[in-house]
Amino acid sequence: MTIRVLIAPTLLLVAVAAAADDSRTREVIALERAGTAAIESGRFGDALAAFSRAAAVRPRDANLCFGAGVAAFMLAQDDIAQARFECALALNPDFLEAALWLADLHHRAGRLTDAISIYEDIQQRSAWTSKLQQKLDGWRKEQELQRRFREAHSKHFVALFERADDEPVARDVMARLEAAYRRIGQVLGAYPSRTITVVLYTRDQFDDVTGLAAWSAAAYDGRIQLPMGALEMPEERDRILSHEFAHAIIGIVGGRTVPAWMSEGLATALEPAAIPDKDARVVPGRVPLRLSELERGFIRLSSSDAEAAYVSSARAVRLLIERRGMSTIIALLHDLARGIPFARAFAQRLAMRYEDFAARIGTSQ
Ligand SMILES: [Zn+2]
């Protein structure tokens, strides 16, 4: 009798603990499903919240860290993304996807050594493919090149360039970027808090490192990358530099879900002395491209399609600014950074359906 009295509460406690465990497991499963569904439908704010809550309940689950990392990456919350990917890898060093995402994050930030060392680790642990080898080779080449590069600094930028003779160009580039920083920062009401790197290449180096189409005049992937030849025409310098800086700040304000057409159109609209009619011009005999085809980057487009893509993008953004003003576009970017899917944020801010607007841009002159 005495023993039963002693045992009974213990059994009860075990049962309560098991029930609590069960309910925690169910909670984590529900949160993980909700997080995955949110990522699939582009609701990255919801995804980050769900995976973070799940990870708080089950901190030793590498998948939950990874899910939170992906969501944070898309929201351009890079410090959180890095910590979450590192958490996933600490819990499971063989987690290939987490390693690939973390390496990509380091590469975009210009931390080539970190990016390369993660790939070297993958090479030791996981199924290695020729595609991964190609990427590693490219990064090593880029690192070797940049080891030879010199650095010059201005208040908000650091320029990397190869030859001492190029220092005046680097200084000129940074002075123009500082001017763009003040001008565009004021228009968008946002200033990057981190130093932005600009890498000055020869055309061959630029082609080799970025692998971009021959029509590209510059690139932004976390750093501004420029072939110096693109700056030869003085009247083009401010346009190109301001355009690339605009991409940087659009990414910082809006995160990584801003559709390419909006980023390109806005960067074009923010070019100094943008000529409205020039940007709206439709290439004769060519129907403007549909916005739905221009949501990802333009890098795979041919030169003539790219020209049409820039025209359509500039036209779309110019129409939006005319209708609702720049402040609405900025509010829309902030919505995206909070993780609201583009179509929903667009409908709320612009008071029309994105599909209707996109169809109009794609078909009308
Ligand atoms: Zn651009």
Side-chain angles (χ1 to χ4, degrees):
M1 183 69 193
T2 316
I3 293 169
R4 280 183 68 118
V5 168
L6 282 174
I7 288 172
T10 313
L11 285 176
L12 188 66
L13 279 176
V14 169
V16 169
D21 261 3
D22 267 4
S23 92
R24 271 206 297 272
T25 302
R26 278 198 298 273
E27 186 191 357
V28 168
I29 291 171
L31 285 168
E32 189 169 11
R33 279 191 189 141
T36 306
I39 283 192
E40 283 166 359
S41 57
R43 291 177 289 112
F44 297 107
D46 292 345
L48 181 57
F51 280 117
S52 301
R53 275 176 56 201
V57 179
R58 197 189 283 163
R60 302 205 55 75
D61 187 326
N63 286 319
L64 302 177
C65 291
F66 176 63
V70 170
F73 178 87
M74 294 309 292
L75 298 171
Q77 296 181 17
D78 287 356
D79 291 346
I80 295 177
Q82 182 181 339
R84 298 286 83 197
F85 292 142
E86 284 171 354
C87 149
L89 283 172
L91 293 168
N92 176 9
D94 294 326
F95 199 151
L96 177 62
E97 284 299 312
L100 295 175
W101 281 71
L102 180 59
D104 182 49
L105 185 70
H106 282 311
H107 181 255
R108 285 165 186 263
R111 295 186 294 267
L112 289 170
T113 308
D114 293 324
I116 288 168
S117 89
I118 289 171
Y119 263 56
E120 286 169 346
D121 197 48
I122 295 173
Q123 198 173 17
Q124 302 302 315
R125 291 176 177 279
S126 307
W128 190 245
T129 64
S130 58
K131 211 173 153 194
L132 294 178
Q133 183 66 50
Q134 222 176 358
K135 201 153 186 179
L136 177 60
D137 291 342
W139 286 355
R140 281 182 176 145
K141 221 173 353 175
E142 186 179 350
Q143 186 187 42
E144 198 189 301
L145 194 62
Q146 288 189 13
R147 277 198 176 128
R148 302 203 302 264
F149 277 26
R150 298 152 198 272
E151 265 186 38
H153 295 255
S154 69
K155 195 165 175 200
H156 303 103
F157 297 90
V158 52
L160 307 181
F161 53 97
E162 188 174 16
R163 300 176 318 129
D165 288 356
D166 295 329
E167 181 155 353
V169 178
R171 297 265 169 220
D172 180 64
V173 161
M174 286 190 296
R176 289 168 195 274
L177 284 170
E178 291 289 351
Y181 179 98
R182 289 189 294 275
R183 186 177 60 78
I184 295 175
Q186 196 174 23
V187 175
L188 295 183
Y191 299 88
S193 53
R194 64 177 173 84
T195 301
I196 293 181
T197 301
V198 49
V199 193
L200 301 174
Y201 290 117
T202 64
R203 183 78 221 190
D204 283 349
Q205 290 168 343
F206 178 82
D207 291 347
D208 218 20
V209 166
T210 66
L212 291 175
W215 52 260
S216 314
Y220 176 76
D221 73 340
R223 293 162 297 163
I224 297 171
Q225 305 191 82
L226 283 169
M228 277 183 290
L231 304 172
E232 266 163 20
M233 285 192 289
E235 66 278 14
E236 280 289 277
R237 270 180 219 157
D238 277 328
R239 190 189 69 74
I240 291 172
L241 293 168
S242 144
H243 184 101
E244 296 310 319
F245 174 71
H247 280 310
I249 195 154
I250 291 164
I252 289 166
V253 175
R256 294 194 170 95
T257 59
V258 182
W261 66 262
M262 177 161 264
S263 187
E264 292 301 348
L266 197 48
T268 304
L270 291 168
E271 286 171 10
I275 307 162
D277 286 347
K278 179 193 127 214
D279 298 333
R281 191 191 57 215
V282 174
V283 181
R286 176 182 285 280
V287 173
L289 298 178
R290 289 176 185 279
L291 292 186
S292 56
E293 294 162 10
L294 303 178
E295 288 170 356
R296 293 166 188 277
F298 300 172
I299 50 170
R300 282 176 195 83
L301 299 180
S302 67
S303 169
S304 65
D305 277 353
E307 191 186 346
Y310 281 103
V311 169
S312 295
S313 302
R315 182 165 179 269
V317 170
R318 192 176 53 85
L319 265 178
L320 294 178
I321 294 172
E322 274 171 14
R323 280 187 175 196
R324 308 282 178 205
M326 185 62 95
S327 60
T328 303
I329 308 295
I330 297 165
L332 174 62
L333 292 177
H334 284 292
D335 287 345
L336 299 180
R338 281 202 301 277
I340 299 175
F342 182 76
R344 196 200 301 165
F346 187 96
Q348 284 167 359
R349 293 289 176 189
L350 281 308
M352 63 181 143
R353 280 165 22 110
Y354 171 49
E355 300 87 79
D356 297 342
F357 176 71
R360 210 188 126 189
I361 290 295
T363 54
S364 70
Q365 305 280 313

